[in-house]
Amino acid sequence: MAKERLVFLSPVDPPGAWRGAFEKAAPDVDFFVSRGEMPSPETIDWAVVWRPPAGLLARLPRLRCVFSLGAGVDHILIDPDFPRHVPLCRVVDPYLTSGMSEYVVLHVIGHQRNLLRNIADQAAARWSPFLPRQADETRVGILGLGELGLDAARKLRPFGYHLAGWSASRKTEPGVESFAGRAELGAFLARTDILVCLLPLTADTQGILNAAAFAALPRGAAVINAARGGHLVEADLLAALDSGHISGATLDVFETEPLPATSPLWRHPRVLITPHIASMADPRTTAVAMADSMARLRRGEPPLHQVDPAKGY
Ligand code: GLV
C-alpha cells in the first residue's frame, strides 16, 4: 500500500524541525515540504499549514484533515475555497500556552510598572525615580478566556491584579470576573486598566480594538494585542495614544506583516513592538498531537482540537 503523505506548507515556520518531529511522531507518513507548488495533489492525505495559498487545499481530493500551525485558524478560513467538509484543527500545545502566558505576564507587568517610561528616561540619560502603581491597584482585562486567556489569568493571579475576562459565553474561573457577549463589553472595558487581546479573529471580533473600545477604557489604560492584527484598528490606536487617553501599547501582530518600515507604530515612543513571536507551537509536542489526531481519524474518531469553521475557533 502506498504511504500516506503529509504536506507541510508555511512561509514562516522552518520545515527542518517539523520534519524531524514528524519522522519521530509519524514515521510511516511521508513528509513533503511545499512552497506553494503541489505536485501529485491526489497523493496528499494530511496538510499542516500556515497561510496556505487560496484554493490550494481545495485541490487535494484525498485530504483527510487540515492542521493549523497556530492556535488561530483565521489564516486558513480566509480562503473562500477552503474545503469545509475536511476536518480543521488548531494547535493546543503546552509550550504555546505557557509561551503566551509568559508574554502576557511580561507585558502586563511592564505596563503596570511603566517600563515605557524607564525606556524613554534611559534614551534621554534621565535619572527620574517614580513609584509604580501597585498590582492590587491595577485591573487587568483579558479579551478571550479560552485555552490561552485562562492560562494567562491563572499566571497573573498570584501578583494580585484584579482580573476579568470577556468571552462569548460566561466562564467560572476563581478570581476572574466573567463578562460575556457584546452587551457586557462596555462594562468590561470600563473596569480595565490593562487590556489584553487573545481572541480568535472572526467576523465578530474583527476590529474590536477600535476608537469606541479605547474611549470605553479608563484614561491611562494600556493595550496589549497578542492575537491578530485584524483585531486592531491601528489608526484608532495611534489617535488614542496621541490624545493621551491610552498610555501605551504592546503589539505583536499587525494589519500588515511584516510591519512596513513606514508604519508610525515603529517609532511611536509609547508602543512596544514584537514581530509576531509572542508564542509558537513547539514542533516536538505539536507533531505528537497531530499524529494522535491522524490515528484517531484512521479509527473513525474525531481529531483533537477540531474547529467549527462556522464559528472560526
Ligand atoms: C500564532 O499566531 C498562532 O495562531 O498560534
Side-chain angles (χ1 to χ4, degrees):
M1 214 172 80
K3 255 186 155 185
E4 288 180 11
R5 276 189 112 195
L6 179 156
V7 63
F8 178 91
L9 192 155
S10 167
V12 292
D13 299 272
W18 287 91
R19 178 187 294 284
F22 271 104
E23 277 168 4
K24 280 199 186 136
D28 296 333
V29 174
D30 182 42
F31 185 91
F32 167 71
V33 179
S34 167
R35 306 202 185 272
E37 79 291 3
M38 196 59 76
S40 314
E42 69 290 349
T43 64
I44 304 294
D45 300 273
W46 315 104
V48 177
V49 295
W50 179 260
R51 269 196 268 134
L56 182 124
L57 296 170
R59 292 201 299 273
L60 309 180
R62 204 166 90 179
L63 194 57
R64 295 164 72 180
C65 191
V66 176
F67 297 98
S68 167
L69 276 162
V73 294
D74 51 292
H75 61 103
I76 296 171
L77 291 175
I78 199 170
D79 176 359
D81 297 326
F82 173 74
R84 285 176 182 253
H85 60 280
V86 177
L88 171 62
C89 301
R90 69 198 174 102
V91 169
V92 176
D93 172 50
Y95 286 102
L96 188 143
T97 303
S98 60
M100 185 58 91
S101 293
E102 289 161 15
Y103 187 91
V104 171
V105 170
L106 171 68
H107 293 286
V108 164
I109 295 178
H111 287 291
Q112 174 229 326
R113 296 190 56 101
N114 208 346
L115 187 62
L116 286 166
R117 178 168 162 184
N118 293 127
I119 293 169
D121 286 346
Q122 179 168 347
R126 186 168 52 223
W127 183 269
S128 167
F130 63 93
L131 276 182
R133 169 171 55 174
Q134 301 291 0
D136 65 5
E137 297 169 332
T138 307
R139 299 164 297 175
V140 178
I142 303 175
L143 286 166
L145 271 191
E147 203 78 38
L148 301 178
L150 276 179
D151 191 73
R154 287 174 189 150
K155 287 176 178 157
L156 284 167
R157 211 177 151 199
F159 292 95
Y161 296 110
H162 296 281
L163 298 172
W166 180 82
S167 38
S169 57
R170 184 133 1 250
K171 306 281 163 148
T172 47
E173 172 67 17
V176 183
E177 194 181 351
S178 169
F179 293 81
R182 278 280 163 175
E184 296 181 13
L185 182 59
F188 164 79
L189 294 169
R191 55 72 63 208
T192 292
D193 299 308
I194 301 177
L195 179 66
V196 181
C197 181
L198 294 176
L199 287 166
L201 182 63
T202 67
D204 285 341
T205 65
Q206 175 89 28
I208 193 167
L209 300 175
N210 57 19
F214 301 140
L217 290 167
R219 189 170 178 82
V223 175
I224 299 170
N225 187 18
R228 285 289 183 265
H231 289 119
L232 174 66
V233 182
E234 292 175 3
D236 290 2
L237 175 66
L238 284 162
L241 284 162
D242 290 339
S243 77
H245 188 75
I246 296 295
S247 61
T250 299
L251 305 176
D252 186 55
V253 287
F254 302 90
E255 285 167 359
T256 304
E257 293 179 12
L259 182 63
T262 51
S263 169
L265 291 168
W266 277 118
R267 276 165 285 279
H268 200 288
R270 282 181 289 118
V271 176
L272 201 62
I273 286 176
T274 55
H276 203 144
I277 45 82
S279 192
M280 314 227 181
D282 188 300
R284 296 163 302 174
T285 38
T286 306
V288 170
M290 290 175 180
D292 188 4
S293 285
M294 287 153 55
R296 284 165 183 256
L297 285 160
R298 288 185 202 105
R299 295 196 297 266
E301 297 166 17
L304 300 168
H305 316 308
Q306 189 168 356
V307 165
D308 175 356
K311 279 167 71 184
Y313 60 92

